[in-house]
């Protein structure tokens, strides 16, 4: 396996481990996981969770070392637009009449030893 493929595989495993840790964190906080890796067109929602009467769309960001941007700037305007479209599709496809909130969970470190930051209402769209 060449170096680029090895790096991509490691990056993918890191992301999966981060999403697992984020889902476990949400469950421990009383959220119910409704979906993972929900895809609509060119968007993917990492985690769909329900808590406090709200559907929470969670974008998970995982790094082994520190973040260079502030947490609220780790999701681009294009990514936000795609997440909103995917969330709207999910709500309509499931016939839900529910408030939607967009959160970011940032994990820094290695699996089993993450520093986790949960930013609720990371951005407003509706």
């Amino acid at each position: 396996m060449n170096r680029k493929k090895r790096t991509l595989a490691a990056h993918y495993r890191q992301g999966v481990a981060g999403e697992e840790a984020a889902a476990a964190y949400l469950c421990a906080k009383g959220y119910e996981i409704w979906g993972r890796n929900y895809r609509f067109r060119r968007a993917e929602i990492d985690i769909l969770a329900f808590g406090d009467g709200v559907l929470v769309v969670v974008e998970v960001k995982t790094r082994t070392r520190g973040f260079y941007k502030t947490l609220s700037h780790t999701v681009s305007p294009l990514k936000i637009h795609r997440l909103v479209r995917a969330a709207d599709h999910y709500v309509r496809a499931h016939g839900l009449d529910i408030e939607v909130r967009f959160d970011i969970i940032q994990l820094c470190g290695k699996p089993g030893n993450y520093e986790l930051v949960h930013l609720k209402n990371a951005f407003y769209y509706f």
Side-chain angles (χ1 to χ4, degrees):
M1 182 184 297
N2 67 31
R3 185 175 182 200
K4 184 176 182 180
K5 286 184 181 178
R6 220 176 16 244
T7 301
L8 288 174
H11 181 75
Y12 176 78
R13 284 192 309 272
Q14 176 183 327
V16 169
E19 288 178 16
E20 289 291 329
Y25 163 82
L26 290 168
C27 287
K29 293 292 183 183
Y31 291 85
E32 182 180 328
I33 304 300
W34 280 10
R36 304 263 312 263
N37 305 112
Y38 179 78
R39 292 179 181 271
F40 176 70
R41 295 188 181 172
R42 300 183 77 185
E44 179 181 353
I45 298 173
D46 295 329
I47 300 172
L48 288 153
F50 179 78
D52 299 324
V54 176
L55 175 64
V56 184
V57 175
V58 182
E59 175 68 12
V60 179
K61 295 292 186 180
T62 308
R63 302 283 187 274
T64 54
R65 295 188 200 112
F67 282 76
Y68 300 107
K69 296 180 179 180
T70 61
L71 185 54
S72 62
H73 290 100
T74 60
V75 181
S76 72
L78 177 59
K79 177 75 173 185
I80 291 170
H81 176 73
R82 289 179 176 166
L83 286 171
V84 169
R85 286 181 57 196
D88 183 60
H89 181 267
Y90 182 88
V91 167
R92 290 175 189 267
H94 291 85
L96 301 174
D97 182 18
I98 192 168
E99 182 181 341
V100 178
R101 186 179 84 208
F102 296 88
D103 291 3
I104 299 172
I105 293 182
Q106 173 184 287
L107 298 116
C108 191
K110 303 234 182 229
N113 192 27
Y114 286 119
E115 179 181 324
L116 186 146
V117 176
H118 182 185
L119 179 61
K120 295 180 181 179
N121 291 307
F123 51 91
Y124 296 94
Y125 205 86
F126 296 101

